[in-house]
Amino acid sequence: MIIFSVPPVDGIVITPGLRRYVTVDMLSSVTFALLDIGIAGARDDAARKARRAYEFYMSLLAELAGLDTPPTRILLVVPDDFDLRRNLRLAESFKTYARKIDATWGGVFNLRFLLVVRRFLKGETLDVETFGKLSPHVEHYRNVAIPASVDTSSERDVRCAREPGVCLSHIDRALELFATAEWRHLLGPPLSSVLSRYLRDARVDSADTTSHRLDLISRFGTRDASLLHFTVSFVGYLSKSRRRVFPVISTSV
């Protein structure tokens, strides 16, 4: 499993809110980068979300391409929304922007677009209608992101840190329902209660964890292969108070 964080473990995650913490050193030390509008962006129901996400991603890719040793494999989260109808509309409207991004940067980076899957359950049972609407988008993008910080699989939003049992059940269901996806990513799972359960699960290709309260104890407990990289990166990040920061582009996203 590829684990994205700030500081990086196996890959770096960049959102509008996290850009201030991303340094050139971090970007030059990893092969993978995850670009996302972030949970604040997903909650925002403002117009032009797809266009603004496109502009944000294009600006980041341009700057990454200018580095001496940039990440070469990029995951981009399709701009999403907590509301089902808006989420489906974004999945459709972003297809044009995804083609533009791929046309410009597909020859430079290995790109994957991740579709965020939401509201496909009613209670604990499959919502057949919603699943039917999601399926063509999953087939188009071929990769999925499963919310694992705030679980939005059903009608009720569930904070996974508070109700890990419900969250784990819904993640397992999503992994079953979207098993044909080429890449399966967990969005923001708590380390000890959720992510630790999937570190050796072949159904999960990657996950991101960006909390600055990173639970090192749970990482030690897993004895995962990337533990040393994770620990050294995090300790190095804390010990360096002054580092050259990745240039920030003016953006409204």
Side-chain angles (χ1 to χ4, degrees):
M1 179 194 292
I2 305 299
I3 300 177
F4 296 85
S5 193
V6 176
V9 185
D10 306 306
I12 188 78
V13 55
I14 310 174
T15 69
L18 288 170
R19 291 194 68 181
R20 73 187 71 179
Y21 302 107
V22 176
T23 68
V24 171
D25 289 345
M26 293 178 187
L27 291 165
S28 299
S29 65
V30 293
T31 301
F32 288 85
L34 172 71
L35 312 187
D36 189 6
I37 62 172
I39 195 166
R43 289 185 185 277
D44 179 12
D45 63 355
R48 299 184 67 250
K49 185 186 291 190
R51 175 71 188 186
R52 293 192 304 162
Y54 164 74
E55 292 170 351
F56 178 60
Y57 291 162
M58 288 290 281
S59 69
L60 285 178
L61 291 168
E63 297 224 16
L64 289 173
L67 296 174
D68 291 337
T69 55
T72 55
R73 302 185 68 179
I74 311 292
L75 307 184
L76 304 97
V77 178
V78 174
D80 58 305
D81 198 285
F82 275 45
D83 178 80
L84 172 60
R85 287 176 294 181
R86 287 195 294 265
N87 196 50
L88 291 170
R89 285 200 299 266
L90 283 164
E92 182 61 37
S93 62
F94 196 71
K95 290 175 182 178
T96 299
Y97 294 118
R99 286 193 292 268
K100 291 180 179 180
I101 293 172
D102 189 59
T104 304
W105 297 111
V108 179
F109 302 106
N110 182 333
L111 303 175
R112 283 184 182 271
F113 295 92
L114 307 180
L115 175 73
V116 182
V117 289
R118 300 189 188 273
R119 315 299 183 191
F120 50 86
L121 299 177
K122 280 188 176 179
E124 299 302 312
T125 61
L126 176 65
D127 184 334
V128 176
E129 181 180 358
T130 298
F131 182 72
K133 293 177 179 178
L134 275 171
S135 294
H137 298 301
V138 173
E139 184 176 350
H140 176 83
Y141 288 109
R142 302 192 303 277
N143 314 289
V144 299
I146 302 166
S149 173
V150 179
D151 169 25
T152 56
S153 301
S154 192
E155 308 99 317
R156 180 174 71 94
D157 294 350
V158 176
R159 289 193 172 275
C160 293
R162 295 178 183 174
E163 300 182 63
V166 174
C167 193
L168 289 166
S169 174
H170 290 177
I171 290 171
D172 283 340
R173 193 66 192 280
L175 292 172
E176 172 191 333
L177 291 170
F178 303 106
T180 58
E182 295 177 7
W183 193 276
R184 294 157 298 273
H185 179 88
L186 300 184
L187 286 169
L191 279 164
S192 59
S193 58
V194 177
L195 180 55
S196 62
R197 311 292 181 92
Y198 293 101
L199 286 171
R200 293 182 179 83
D201 193 322
R203 298 174 300 170
V204 180
D205 299 288
S206 61
D208 67 272
T209 177
T210 56
S211 171
H212 291 288
R213 296 167 293 151
L214 294 172
D215 184 357
L216 290 176
I217 294 176
S218 72
R219 290 291 295 174
F220 276 112
T222 66
R223 301 188 182 277
D224 186 70
S226 59
L227 169 62
L228 180 60
H229 186 186
F230 179 91
T231 307
V232 171
S233 297
F234 187 66
V235 171
Y237 172 76
L238 293 178
S239 66
K240 294 182 179 180
S241 59
R242 293 183 180 180
R243 305 180 74 173
R244 188 159 63 96
V245 179
F246 187 46
V248 176
I249 302 170
S250 176
T251 175
S252 60
V253 177

